[in-house]
Amino acid sequence: MRLRQYDIDSPRGGGKSKLADDAGVHRAAVSRLLQRQSMPDLETMRRLAGVLGVPLRDMLIRSGRLSEDDLPVAAGRGGQDEGPGPLTPEEAAVRMGVPPELRELFARVTRAFLPDGGGGTGPHG
């Protein structure tokens, strides 16, 4: 949190409030988390992880909520541990349950938002 410039040490709580606002969660959830009074629900953890730029997997492990054994990194296509890596728009559509008849449209729209236009040459796009 400090690395992302949230002043969580301030007695006035400005950094905690800003983090809560940025993540769209209640300030009390951030305060309870920092005071180790309670563990946020999964959606709160997901939102905080997104704002802090931390993978949700890492946040769950660092919090002590789950272990690395509970959340193994998926093996790559070659059977080696390559990490999650980016998905192609088509892979994302399948994983998200987009109906088959809408997957091509989903992929075209998604590519418009990708930094390189989605035209990469690697195995994932």
Side-chain angles (χ1 to χ4, degrees):
M1 292 177 197
R2 290 178 189 99
L3 290 174
R4 296 287 182 194
Q5 306 302 313
Y6 290 102
D7 181 11
I8 58 171
D9 302 309
S10 170
R12 292 182 171 246
K16 295 173 204 163
S17 294
K18 179 161 179 23
L19 175 59
D21 289 345
D22 290 352
V25 301
H26 292 284
R27 183 183 182 276
V30 173
S31 293
R32 285 191 303 267
L33 171 67
L34 292 172
Q35 294 169 1
R36 298 187 184 272
Q37 291 177 344
S38 72
M39 186 64 66
D41 61 48
L42 184 59
E43 182 58 27
T44 299
M45 294 279 278
R46 183 184 322 275
R47 289 173 181 232
L48 290 170
V51 166
L52 296 172
V54 176
L56 180 59
R57 178 184 185 276
D58 292 352
M59 192 161 183
L60 290 167
I61 292 169
R62 289 180 193 175
S63 72
R65 192 161 192 175
L66 296 170
S67 72
E68 288 193 39
D69 291 335
D70 294 327
L71 293 172
V73 175
R77 289 194 175 105
Q80 297 178 347
D81 198 4
E82 300 173 5
L87 299 173
T88 65
E90 292 80 7
E91 290 169 329
V94 170
R95 289 193 185 185
M96 292 173 58
V98 174
E101 64 273 12
L102 296 175
R103 289 180 188 160
E104 184 179 334
L105 175 62
F106 175 90
R108 276 194 312 239
V109 170
T110 301
R111 280 193 181 87
F113 292 97
L114 294 174
D116 67 353
T121 58
H124 291 287

